[in-house]
Amino acid sequence: MGGVGNTEREDKGEGEDKGEIMNSLHPNFPHTLHPTPYTPHPSPHPTRRAMAKILKHGNGWRLGWDPEAGQFKGLVGGDEWAIELTEAELEDFCRLLLKLAQTMKEMAGELMDEEKIACEMESDRLWMEAEGYADAFSVRFILNGGRRCEAGWPPEVVPDLVQAAAVLKVF
């Protein structure tokens, strides 16, 4: 995945022990899985493949998704901090981040080179702001839920974060 930072997946390639994946994603899974990919195995959802945890990260940012986690399936963070998000909060985060990035790009033709701008967007779950030049801006957000937090990223981090948010999962 060129240019987006690093991606870590907790899944196995063809021919590797699929039972280890299922047991790590479903710790209470009652069935014994067979180690070969060609041997049928009991599953509560035989047609559904278990999705893997994903952690995308780069210099100054982290973005994660764990579909098997309980309430908090998402993660956003920087080098020294992180907060877990619910699925709905992560969806709003990615959607608003992509909309803000698109808005800043569209504003480039309307602004002089030395002109700064601030754009805000919000949902019921979070507020987000992009501030700076149309081609180099910082992003910060405030989580409005029960945990409440405020965090952000500097301009040099934002392009990779935006690119990772666009491909993290299909919303």
Side-chain angles (χ1 to χ4, degrees), residues 62-157:
R62 291 184 281 169
L63 194 59
W65 169 248
D66 181 0
E68 300 298 324
Q71 181 179 4
F72 302 105
K73 297 176 187 281
L75 176 121
V76 297
D79 285 337
E80 302 294 325
W81 63 272
I83 184 166
E84 293 181 324
L85 302 177
T86 65
E87 183 172 4
E89 289 167 344
L90 182 64
E91 288 175 2
D92 282 1
F93 176 88
C94 291
R95 181 177 51 81
L96 293 177
L97 180 61
L98 295 173
K99 280 185 173 183
L100 279 172
Q102 182 62 36
T103 300
M104 294 296 279
K105 183 178 177 180
E106 291 169 0
M107 292 303 297
E110 306 295 323
L111 302 172
M112 295 189 302
D113 290 342
E114 65 278 357
E115 202 170 0
K116 289 185 176 184
I117 187 172
C119 294
E120 299 177 3
M121 292 188 178
E122 67 181 294
S123 70
D124 293 343
R125 297 172 192 91
L126 61 95
W127 170 89
M128 190 174 286
E129 176 187 59
E131 183 176 19
Y133 300 103
D135 61 346
F137 54 91
S138 62
V139 169
R140 79 185 170 110
F141 76 99
I142 298 174
L143 188 62
N144 295 327
R147 297 172 326 285
R148 301 196 190 269
C149 79
E150 179 175 350
W153 297 268
E156 61 273 9
V157 169

Side-chain angles (χ1 to χ4, degrees), residues 1-5 56 61 63 94 97-98 101 157-169:
M1 170 160 279
V4 181
K56 295 180 180 289
W61 64 273
L63 194 59
C94 291
L97 180 61
L98 295 173
V157 169
V158 172
D160 287 343
L161 178 65
V162 169
Q163 190 176 2
V167 297
L168 181 64
K169 68 175 242 188

Side-chain angles (χ1 to χ4, degrees), residues 2-38:
V4 181
N6 301 313
T7 301
E8 297 174 8
R9 295 185 69 101
E10 290 186 7
D11 60 356
K12 300 284 184 175
E14 286 298 314
E16 293 181 58
D17 184 6
K18 303 292 185 187
E20 184 179 319
I21 297 168
M22 290 300 292
N23 289 335
S24 69
L25 294 176
H26 302 285
N28 297 325
F29 194 74
H31 306 289
T32 301
L33 300 181
H34 304 281
T36 64
Y38 306 106

